[in-house]
Each structure stands twice: as structure tokens, then as C-alpha cells.
Amino acid sequence: MIEKFQSHLSNNFPFLIGKKLLLATSGGLDSMVMAHLFKSLNFEFALAHCNFQLRGNESLEDQFFVKKFADVNAIPIFITQFDTLSFATDYKLSTQVAARELRYNWFYELLETKNYDYILTAHHADDNIETFLIHLVRGSGLEGFTGIPTQNESVVRPLLAFSREDTANYAAANAIQWREDSSNASDKYLRNKVRHDIVPLFKELNPSFLSSFQNTQKYLNEAQAMVEDATIMIYQQVATEVNDEIHYNIDKLKTLPNYKSYLYQWLKEYGFSAWDDIYELVDSQSGKQIFSSEFRLVKDRNTLILAPINKMESSEVYLINEDQFEVNDPIKLTISNQNFDSYTDNSIIFVDADKLIFPLQLKRFEEGAEFQPFGMNGKSKKVSKLFKDEKLSLLQKENAWILYSNEDIVWVIGIRQDERFKIDTNTKNILKLALK
């Protein structure tokens, strides 16, 4: 195996040569074989061992075993202990997910603080089969069947081309000792059920199952690459990025033969799960929206708008004092004493300073608010009607800011000034307010 492994590294992981490597080492068969292989090939590496404290003395004995191996072979080692159960409880995670999160966070910290280049894990081909079947049982899109990647940025898995049988044979041939995790014998976990009952059945049906599976997964990866390429090309035709929003043109979207698949590819990274509701949103009425934990998708006429959820409380009020000439939060405004110049657009207004009562107030839109639009003497209008006339989307309405003097609207900012504060022939002091 060592000759095949050396060739495998040269062909697929030449970037590991001459680098400082950190080997994730549990003390089990696979990680001990990986450590022996890299030691035999004279790589510079250290071991990283996590004690999750899930199996009492057994976990502690694993730690002592790995530490002894490192000491005997003069290999640097890093060891940490986690209160995994408390972490899982605090963050409402399964024990397995909690252990994974703790493990990888620590690995990345070691890479950064100890100046190592890559973290290597001992996942092998049988792990890939098990992961595929677990996704099959639970349900998955195509990406769930493409397998464990050989590399995720600084995480490398050099044993994926080898089977559990390969590592067991190598350990026997080289008298490698390891620790057996007693939890691996239990069918409490789905992965163990797959490992003990399902995979052996496939191997019985087809003695070349591992090789066949690797070919199938190669084809699935190629198909996934095609999907990703198509997703990017179509995105450029359908989507427009506007500040922190993404606008999807529904007319263009619906010309696609399978637009639901594209929506899934574009939106899956934003935490959505109610896919049937999202697909129905395309033909729903304006204003309807679907939420994930941090984002929302809003139907606005002929557009689907993806935007972050606005965390700002609608009741929040920002004050502008009389001697203040600049505002940076929640929006950017400049305020200056200036003679009337000209109105170029609704991003600038001129007001009679003596009609204002300070401090001015910046507020979000509130339902029922009324003002007197510039040019409409004595006539009031609901701000909601202004928004409708201006064809503002739901998100634009929610993100609108209104400038108040006492209880009266001075400016629906960026849209319309109030008539009552305009300059006239009696005005002595003019203030210019401008959006930056």
C-alpha cells in the first residue's frame, strides 16, 4: 500500500510535499495507518487529538495511547478536551454534530496559531459509501451524492482512494497498533447500521462494489460540475444584484425548462427549506414572502427579491440636533445652511429652518402616517398611498426613512418633501438636506 499511497500523493496532492501537516489522530485504525504512512515517507507533521469525553475512561485511554505513540516516535502533538455533551445541549445540536463542530473549529485554530499548512483526516473509501447511503436514506439533492471531497480548502483527505480493507491489511502487515472505539460496535447510530448491515450486503451482491461505486461517484461529480456551470451562466441572465439584494426576473425565470431547479441551486445557501412554498411564490400575489433564519424572498410584481432580514426595530428613533450637519446612522445625510439653488431630484430638499422644531427625528414608516406632499397646498396624503403610487416594493417600503419635525413629516426621504416646510418669500434661513 505504501507504494500506491506515495504515487497517489505525487499525482493528486503534490502541494503537500514540503508543507507542515497536522494529522487528525483519534487513535483508531485509519488515523494510525495514516500517521504511519506519513512517517514512513518522511513528511513533517504533528498529531492533533481531540478527547470528546463521551466514553469515560475509554476516551482518556485513547488520549494516552496517541500521546505515547507521539512521544515514542518524536512527533509533535496537540491535545484538547471538550465537554461535548454540554456544548450539544447549549447549542441544541446532536452529539455527532457538536463533536464535528468542536473538532474542526479547533483544527482551524491550530492551523492559524501554530503555523501549519493543512489538516489531514483519515476518511477512506468506505466512509464515502456510508455517507452516500446515509444521504440516500435521508433524502438529498445531487450534491449530497457527490461524496466526501478530497479537499476543502485547508482540509485534505488523502486516504479516500483506499478502502477499510486496505488500511486493515496495511496495519496487519506493519504491526500497527490502534484503539478500537467501542461505540463503533453499536447500531445506535445510523452510520453504524449502514456500515454493519447494508454495505456488506452490497459487497456480497457485487464483489467489485467499491470500484463500481467510485466510478459512479466520479460520474455524479462530473454531472454536479455541469450543474454548477449552468447555474452560474443562467444566474447572469436572470439575476441582478442591487446593493445587498438579489432581484430575479420572473419572466426570464419562467422561460427556463426547469426553473425550480435553478431556484434551488441559487437559494440553497441562504438557509431556506420550504421549497414548495418558494416555487409557488413565483405565481403568487405581490407582497407574499418566505423566510429563512437570516434571509427572506419577497414577490414584488415581476421580481423575486432576496434580501437579508432587517434586524432593526421599526420603533427605533434617531435624533438630529440643531447644530448637527452630518448624519451617518441609520442613513447618510448632510445638512447645510445654504441659499436655494435648484432641485435636481428627490435626494435633495430645501426647507425653511425657522419652521423646524429640533431635535428632528428619523423614523421608519408607520402605517397611517400622513403628510402634505410638496406642491399640494393643504391636501393631505397617506404615506402608504405615496408608496403605492411610486410602485415601491415591500422591501423598499420597509427600508424607507421619514424625517419628522415634532409630529409633522418634513421629508419622506428620497421620495417627496412636505409642503409645509418649503421655502417661500418670507423665508430668512434655508437648510439644505441631501442624501449622501
Side-chain angles (χ1 to χ4, degrees):
M1 178 179 173
I2 193 163
E3 292 80 10
K4 288 184 179 179
F5 183 72
Q6 186 172 21
S7 176
H8 178 61
L9 290 183
S10 298
N11 293 332
N12 299 288
F13 304 100
F15 54 86
L16 295 180
I17 298 171
K19 299 296 185 181
K20 290 181 64 179
L21 309 178
L22 201 57
L23 274 57
T25 311
S26 66
L29 167 65
D30 308 315
S31 64
M32 296 309 297
V33 165
M34 180 172 69
H36 189 278
L37 286 167
F38 276 94
K39 182 176 181 297
S40 299
L41 295 174
N42 297 316
F43 276 78
E44 180 183 359
F45 66 92
L47 307 182
H49 177 80
C50 305
N51 182 346
F52 297 104
Q53 303 190 86
L54 295 172
R55 294 176 288 115
N57 285 336
E58 189 178 336
S59 293
L60 197 57
E61 288 168 5
D62 290 347
Q63 176 182 321
F64 293 155
F65 173 79
V66 176
K67 177 68 165 61
K68 182 179 179 181
F69 173 82
D71 290 345
V72 168
N73 291 280
I75 301 171
I77 186 170
F78 302 97
I79 296 173
T80 191
Q81 295 184 346
F82 298 119
D83 187 350
T84 310
L85 292 178
S86 294
F87 182 84
T89 300
D90 291 345
Y91 290 91
K92 297 180 174 58
L93 302 171
S94 71
T95 305
Q96 289 174 308
V97 172
R100 174 183 171 80
E101 189 163 326
L102 288 167
R103 176 169 69 247
Y104 279 99
N105 285 343
W106 182 59
F107 289 160
Y108 290 130
E109 182 182 337
L110 284 177
L111 289 182
E112 184 174 347
T113 59
K114 303 300 182 181
N115 298 316
Y116 281 83
D117 298 303
Y118 296 97
I119 179 75
L120 275 57
T121 69
H123 292 91
H124 50 65
D126 288 76
D127 291 321
N128 231 346
I129 294 173
E130 293 163 10
T131 300
F132 177 96
L133 292 173
I134 288 170
H135 284 147
L136 184 64
V137 169
R138 292 175 173 167
S140 173
L142 178 59
E143 68 276 9
F145 298 126
T146 56
I148 303 170
T150 56
Q151 183 180 2
N152 286 117
E153 296 180 352
S154 55
V155 178
V156 179
R157 303 174 179 92
L159 291 182
L160 278 177
F162 300 90
S163 67
R164 181 175 284 115
E165 184 179 3
D166 291 330
T167 59
N169 290 340
Y170 181 82
N174 292 275
I176 296 172
Q177 294 183 319
W178 72 89
R179 293 275 302 170
E180 194 64 58
D181 184 340
S182 62
S183 66
N184 287 339
S186 169
D187 283 345
K188 174 184 176 182
Y189 301 111
L190 175 59
R191 181 173 290 275
N192 286 352
K193 290 181 181 179
V194 170
R195 179 179 300 164
H196 298 153
D197 301 330
I198 299 176
V199 173
L201 179 59
F202 278 109
K203 290 183 176 179
E204 180 183 333
L205 293 172
N206 178 10
S208 301
F209 173 64
L210 180 57
S211 176
S212 299
F213 172 79
Q214 288 174 325
N215 285 332
T216 297
Q217 202 150 67
K218 175 186 174 185
Y219 303 144
L220 289 172
N221 274 282
E222 291 171 353
Q224 177 64 17
M226 287 174 54
V227 168
E228 291 172 357
D229 289 344
T231 299
I232 293 170
M233 288 189 291
I234 299 299
Y235 175 89
Q236 294 169 346
Q237 299 171 24
V238 172
T240 304
E241 296 179 6
V242 182
N243 297 323
D244 59 351
E245 299 174 359
I246 301 175
H247 294 195
Y248 300 98
N249 184 297
I250 291 176
D251 283 343
K252 292 180 179 178
L253 183 69
K254 292 177 76 171
T255 63
L256 303 174
N258 191 2
Y259 70 80
K260 294 179 182 179
S261 295
Y262 287 102
L263 276 178
Y264 173 78
Q265 292 295 326
W266 294 329
L267 299 174
K268 65 183 179 180
E269 303 300 329
Y270 295 95
F272 292 100
S273 58
W275 294 109
D276 287 341
D277 293 340
I278 287 174
Y279 303 146
E280 291 175 5
L281 197 63
V282 172
D283 294 311
S284 66
Q285 62 185 18
S286 285
K288 188 173 180 181
Q289 50 190 328
I290 305 293
F291 291 87
S292 69
S293 59
E294 297 183 8
F295 293 87
R296 59 177 166 174
L297 191 66
V298 181
K299 170 70 178 294
D300 179 54
R301 299 176 181 84
N302 195 40
T303 307
L304 292 179
I305 301 175
L306 175 69
I309 294 173
N310 194 337
K311 302 294 185 182
M312 193 174 298
E313 293 292 332
S314 60
S315 60
E316 200 162 0
V317 177
Y318 294 81
L319 301 180
I320 302 175
N321 297 314
E322 190 168 5
D323 58 352
Q324 190 172 341
F325 295 99
E326 187 175 53
V327 177
N328 290 307
D329 189 34
I331 57 175
K332 294 184 182 295
L333 294 174
T334 57
I335 305 165
S336 57
N337 297 106
Q338 184 174 324
N339 291 330
F340 176 74
D341 184 5
S342 64
Y343 288 95
T344 56
D345 55 43
N346 289 315
S347 66
I348 297 173
I349 65 169
F350 294 88
V351 297
D352 188 327
D354 296 324
K355 295 178 181 178
L356 300 174
I357 299 175
F358 285 89
L360 304 178
Q361 304 162 53
L362 278 171
K363 298 181 183 179
R364 290 285 195 185
F365 162 68
E366 296 175 348
E367 200 64 51
E370 293 187 356
F371 79 126
Q372 292 183 24
F374 187 79
M376 296 176 62
N377 291 325
K379 293 183 179 180
S380 294
K381 184 173 186 173
K382 286 186 178 294
V383 175
S384 58
K385 181 65 167 60
L386 172 70
F387 288 166
K388 185 176 181 181
D389 292 345
E390 294 291 326
K391 294 182 168 52
L392 266 63
S393 71
L394 175 65
L395 293 175
Q396 288 173 315
K397 295 174 188 176
E398 292 180 357
N399 289 324
W401 287 95
I402 300 177
L403 182 66
Y404 284 83
S405 170
N406 199 9
E407 297 298 319
D408 296 321
I409 291 177
V410 178
W411 185 20
V412 181
I413 296 176
I415 302 174
R416 189 71 62 84
Q417 179 181 349
D418 190 287
E419 172 76 13
R420 292 166 292 182
F421 296 92
K422 72 177 184 180
I423 60 176
D424 54 33
T425 55
N426 297 316
T427 298
K428 295 182 175 61
N429 299 301
I430 299 174
L431 277 186
K432 176 184 178 183
L433 294 91
L435 270 171
K436 288 200 290 185

